[in-house]
């Protein structure tokens, strides 16, 4: 029986983008479609969590601008951990400015994101120039970009025509845009059922994933790995569900939760191949 979903392995073989292929190959090698979002403010916690979740993830998502004691040694250690545990790095920078400004924010400043982050993301709100600005820095380095086509929060404005336009922008820049932050597959968005054009294979990375709670006090909304995989998501992004909500990090529990979410994401993937 052939599934309506194609396996990661098959997609890795034929994906035109090397950044997308790298992520798909990592997913297959590690049997993990889990991305852990490490949103903590102390460098020591940040690196401890990554060292512990490393074996269970295909991707580590960062917000480097929230780290209080950031210095360049943090990036060097992050890169060592990425090699040690075989995962890629995604700085969740959510660029949203004119092309010239985002190119500078991506390449320069304290964080020099393009030099170490395999994948980053941008809001499509400024229009296609945000892609050309970021591509001028990221493409020569073999980086990949995700557009925020939808968000996980209550009352998000990223819907309807906005989402459709984001997908059209991505189709026009397939050489750099590898996919979306979204809640479902975007491949068919804006296409009629009789469309015989190019088959898209955009990756979909989905935040707002939790097994125990449905939301937080600030508008976040959670769905289960199975729900998002069945809607066509490829990678689950999990933050507090893994590293907890308390002021201190319980590193043993982080390991248990990372394996729990890895297993949940992978079994949801294996189930959908039967659909
Ligand atoms: O729509 C979105 C897009 C993103 S990238 N909703 C999100 O929650 N995110 C990010 O995913 C958010 O910035 C945070 O880093 C992570 C979710 O964290 P959690 O603790 O709620 O799992």
């Amino acid at each position: 029986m052939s599934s309506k979903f194609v396996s990661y392995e098959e997609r890795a073989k034929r994906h035109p983008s090397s950044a997308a292929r790298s992520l798909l190959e990592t997913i297959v090698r590690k049997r993990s479609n889990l991305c852990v979002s490490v949103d903590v403010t102390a460098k020591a916690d940040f690196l401890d969590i990554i060292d512990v979740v490393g074996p269970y993830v295909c991707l580590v998502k960062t917000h480097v601008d929230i780290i209080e004691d950031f210095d360049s040694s943090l990036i060097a250690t992050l890169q060592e951990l990425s090699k040690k545990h075989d995962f890629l790095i995604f700085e969740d920078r959510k660029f949203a400015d004119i092309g010239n400004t985002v190119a500078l924010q991506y390449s320069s400043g304290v964080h020099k994101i393009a030099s170490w982050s395999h994948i980053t993301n941008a809001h499509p709100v400024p229009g296609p120039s945000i892609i050309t600005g970021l591509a001028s820095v990221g493409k020569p380095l073999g980086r990949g970009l995700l557009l925020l086509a939808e968000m996980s929060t209550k009352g998000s404005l990223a819907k309807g025509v906005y989402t459709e336009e984001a997908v059209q922008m991505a189709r026009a820049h397939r050489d750099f845009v590898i996919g979306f932050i979204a809640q479902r597959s975007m491949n068919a968005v804006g296409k009629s059922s009789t469309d015989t054009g190019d088959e898209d294979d955009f990756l979909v990375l989905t935040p707002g994933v939790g097994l125990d709670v449905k939301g937080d006090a600030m508008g976040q909304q959670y769905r289960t790995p199975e729900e998002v995989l069945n809607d066509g998501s490829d990678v689950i992004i999990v933050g507090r569900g893994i590293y907890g909500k308390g002021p201190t990090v319980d590193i043993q529990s982080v390991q248990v939760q990372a394996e729990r979410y890895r297993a949940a994401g992978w079994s949801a993937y294996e189930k959908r191949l039967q659909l």
Side-chain angles (χ1 to χ4, degrees):
M1 193 178 71
S2 84
S3 166
K4 67 171 177 165
F5 291 104
V6 182
S7 70
Y8 294 126
E9 218 157 359
E10 216 35 61
R11 292 166 66 190
K13 276 185 212 150
R14 60 191 193 205
H15 207 290
S17 150
S18 66
R21 276 199 309 276
S22 271
L23 181 57
L24 288 162
E25 285 162 4
T26 308
I27 292 172
V28 172
R29 259 195 319 274
K30 297 193 70 185
R31 295 172 61 79
S32 173
N33 52 20
L34 171 64
C35 168
V36 176
S37 177
V38 194
D39 301 342
V40 293
T41 55
K43 176 178 161 182
D45 287 342
F46 176 81
L47 294 174
D48 285 352
I49 292 172
I50 295 173
D51 201 13
V52 163
V53 303
Y56 307 103
V57 301
C58 57
L59 189 65
V60 164
K61 185 172 87 59
T62 58
H63 282 297
V64 274
D65 58 347
I66 66 174
I67 295 174
E68 304 261 10
D69 46 351
F70 177 89
D71 59 27
S72 58
S73 79
L74 176 142
I75 296 303
T77 312
L78 176 61
Q79 287 177 310
E80 280 164 26
L81 291 172
S82 145
K83 289 204 181 74
K84 173 179 168 192
H85 295 300
D86 184 22
F87 61 75
L88 299 180
I89 305 168
F90 164 22
E91 165 59 21
D92 181 6
R93 176 61 180 75
K94 296 189 180 72
F95 293 101
D97 213 320
I98 63 166
N100 184 59
T101 301
V102 295
L104 293 170
Q105 291 171 323
Y106 189 25
S107 62
S108 308
V110 176
H111 297 124
K112 306 187 191 344
I113 295 165
S115 72
W116 51 269
S117 183
H118 303 101
I119 295 170
T120 192
N121 56 357
H123 286 294
V125 69
S129 55
I130 193 166
I131 304 178
T132 40
L134 292 168
S136 72
V137 175
K139 238 182 84 176
L141 298 170
R143 306 306 189 201
L145 182 70
L146 303 167
L147 291 179
L148 285 119
E150 292 179 329
M151 290 198 71
S152 59
T153 37
K154 251 176 234 159
S156 164
L157 304 182
K159 60 184 180 183
V161 173
Y162 182 90
T163 300
E164 277 178 34
E165 294 285 332
V167 177
Q168 298 301 1
M169 272 169 60
R171 287 190 181 122
H173 298 87
R174 283 194 183 92
D175 53 345
F176 187 51
V177 180
I178 61 170
F180 302 97
I181 297 292
Q183 296 291 315
R184 60 196 162 102
S185 171
M186 291 285 118
N187 291 338
V189 169
K191 280 189 173 171
S192 72
S193 52
T194 52
D195 200 323
T196 54
D198 288 348
E199 273 296 306
D200 288 325
D201 187 11
F202 289 118
L203 297 175
V204 173
L205 282 64
T206 303
V209 173
L211 285 165
D212 302 316
V213 288
K214 289 281 150 218
D216 69 6
M218 297 187 190
Q220 177 67 297
Q221 306 178 107
Y222 293 114
R223 294 189 299 149
T224 64
E226 192 161 338
E227 285 171 316
V228 305
L229 263 284
N230 285 346
D231 281 347
S233 167
D234 298 308
V235 172
I236 56 170
I237 299 177
V238 184
R240 287 163 288 178
I242 288 178
Y243 66 80
K245 294 172 195 69
T248 56
V249 175
D250 173 352
I251 212 76
Q252 258 183 336
S253 154
V254 171
Q255 182 170 14
V256 170
Q257 293 303 325
E259 168 52 14
R260 179 178 175 227
Y261 276 93
R262 189 210 63 81
W266 199 255
S267 101
Y269 162 67
E270 287 188 322
K271 268 196 214 156
R272 93 170 175 189
L273 286 181
Q274 312 300 319
L275 293 177

